[in-house]
Amino acid sequence: MTGSDRDLFASFGPDERALLAWVAPQLDAAAIEEIAGADYGVDVPEYRRALTELVHSPWLPDNLVGNPGEVLALTRWTTPAGRGGHLQRLFACTLLVRAVTADGSPVDSLAPLVDSAWALGEPARDAAVRFLAWCRLNLPGDWRDDPSSPMFLTLAVLLLSAETAASAALAALLAEELDAALTDPELPWRRRPRSPLFTRRDTDSATTRRLWSALMTRCLVDNPAVVDPRLTALGRALAGAAPIDDLRALFPAAT
C-alpha cells in the first residue's frame, strides 16, 4: 500500500475498537443466550461465558479457532429479521473479521458485517467504516493469507462511504487492487464467476457471492444518494452486469 493509500484510509479515523464499542453494549442477556445456542443448543453454558467476556471486553480477540468461534460463525450465516438480529450478526462478524478463525475466510464474514451495518444505519455505518479502515491498514487475523482478500476491505469501506467525497478515491484504489489480482499468475481461476471480484478466488461460498452482489447493487447502483455516475457503473461491473473492460475504462490510471 502506498503512502497516499494509507492517507486515504487514515482520513476515516481508523479505530480497531470503534465498532465493538458501539455494538457490544446493545447486546442484552437474551441476545447473548441466542448466540450461545446457535450450535443446536450444544454447550450453551460454555459459549455463554465466553461470549459474555467478549461483550464486556474492550479488546477484540486475536484468535477464535475454538470457543466461541463456532457459534459466532453460525450466527454469521443467519438472516436477521429485525434490529436485534442485525446487532447479533454485526457483533459476531466484527470479531470474526478481526481474528484468526477455523475456516480462515474473512471475506465470508465481511459481507454480512457490511449488510448489517448498512441496515442499522448511522452511527453503525460510521463505526464500521472506522473499524474496517483500521483492518485495511493492519490486515489482522486471516487477511494476509490470500492476496486477493484485502481488496474486499477496500470494497467494504467504499460501499459504506459511497455517499461521501472519498468514494472516488476508494473506487480508483479498488480498481487497482482488482487489476493486480486479475493479473497475478499465482492465484487460482474460478470457472465462470458472475463477478470479476471472484475470478481469481476459489474459497468463497455461493451465499457470500450473492450477498456481495446484492450489496453492490444496493449501495452503488440503486442508491439515490450516489451522485458520481462512475460509481453506479462500477457497481454494475462488479455485480457482473458489465464487462470488466468497462471497469478498467472508468479508471484508466489503474491499468
Side-chain angles (χ1 to χ4, degrees), residues 176-199:
E176 292 178 3
E177 294 175 336
L178 177 57
D179 190 65
L182 291 172
T183 56
D184 189 335
E186 302 298 322
L187 293 176
W189 289 93
R190 180 190 290 272
R191 296 183 62 185
R192 295 188 296 277
R194 174 169 170 77
S195 169
L197 287 165
F198 304 101
T199 300

Side-chain angles (χ1 to χ4, degrees), residues 102-144:
D103 60 19
S105 300
V107 173
D108 284 338
S109 300
L110 182 60
L113 185 155
V114 174
D115 187 54
S116 285
W118 180 271
L120 291 165
E122 296 295 356
R125 293 186 197 177
D126 178 68
V129 166
R130 296 179 67 197
F131 169 62
L132 296 176
W134 180 89
C135 289
R136 183 62 189 87
L137 287 170
N138 294 277
L139 298 180
D142 297 312
W143 287 102
R144 295 179 187 270

Side-chain angles (χ1 to χ4, degrees), residues 13-141:
D15 185 342
E16 177 187 4
R17 293 180 283 175
L19 189 51
L20 180 68
W22 182 84
V23 69
Q26 302 187 65
L27 298 178
D28 57 17
I32 295 173
E33 192 74 14
E34 188 167 346
I35 298 173
D39 192 11
Y40 304 99
V42 176
D43 297 329
V44 170
E46 290 80 2
Y47 287 132
R48 184 194 304 119
R49 282 193 292 271
L51 290 167
T52 300
E53 289 180 5
L54 290 173
V55 165
H56 294 289
S57 173
W59 302 101
L60 285 83
D62 293 323
N63 190 303
L64 283 171
V65 172
N67 178 17
E70 297 90 340
V71 290
L72 292 171
L74 290 168
T75 301
R76 165 187 62 191
W77 297 119
T78 58
T79 302
R83 178 179 174 81
H86 278 294
L87 289 171
Q88 292 176 35
R89 189 173 68 164
L90 185 62
F91 172 73
C93 291
T94 299
L95 300 174
L96 293 169
V97 163
R98 167 64 178 82
V100 173
T101 63
D103 60 19
S105 300
V107 173
D108 284 338
S109 300
L110 182 60
L113 185 155
V114 174
D115 187 54
S116 285
W118 180 271
L120 291 165
E122 296 295 356
R125 293 186 197 177
D126 178 68
V129 166
R130 296 179 67 197
F131 169 62
L132 296 176
W134 180 89
C135 289
R136 183 62 189 87
L137 287 170
N138 294 277
L139 298 180

